[in-house]
Amino acid sequence: MLVRDAMSTVVLTIGPTHTLRQAARLMSARRIGAAVVHDPDTCGLGIITERDILDAVGSGLDPDRETASAHTTTDVVFAAPAWTLQEAAEAMTHGGFRHLIVLDGDGPVGIVSVRDIIRCWAPARRAFAAAG
């Protein structure tokens, strides 16, 4: 199975000046765990995750003053839609993260998460167990 088969095509893109509260509110409304941060003036594309927001708030930072840019991961590993789920899982394991932005052409077309991969692999494992 390929990344394109598992990825979410709901890609929330925010700007670097969004506050953490704004980012959290938008992510929560869409029931997603990560947002693409687009900053054309600096790094281009980055990612902010629910864990980034949780770490910031948990350490006492003000979610109404802290901006996405201060908590964005900019050394992002991108996936291609044609990657296998195994390749995506290996990249996540190697990098220690749970989301990959999927790029095709000029921009993001999806995000694949550990949850997406498990959702795809779980039925195959059940079918394998039932057959054996």
Side-chain angles (χ1 to χ4, degrees), residues 13-115:
T13 302
I14 64 172
T17 60
H18 276 80
T19 66
L20 294 185
R21 184 176 309 278
Q22 290 169 325
R25 187 174 292 130
L26 292 167
M27 290 163 59
S28 178
R30 288 162 181 79
R31 300 181 49 85
I32 56 175
V36 173
V37 180
H38 182 246
D39 188 353
D41 295 332
T42 59
C43 62
L45 292 179
I47 191 168
I48 189 166
T49 67
E50 57 197 355
R51 180 169 293 169
D52 297 325
I53 295 169
L54 184 66
D55 287 346
V57 173
S59 67
L61 298 176
D62 183 348
D64 293 313
R65 291 184 165 216
E66 289 295 311
T67 60
S69 65
H71 302 277
T72 298
T73 300
T74 56
D75 57 339
V76 179
V77 175
F78 298 100
W83 277 19
T84 65
L85 293 185
Q86 182 70 37
E87 289 172 305
E90 287 171 2
M92 290 177 185
T93 301
H94 183 264
F97 43 80
R98 298 179 300 158
H99 298 86
L100 287 168
I101 299 172
V102 183
L103 290 183
D104 192 16
D106 292 335
V109 294
I111 292 184
V112 65
S113 69
V114 170
R115 182 180 297 155

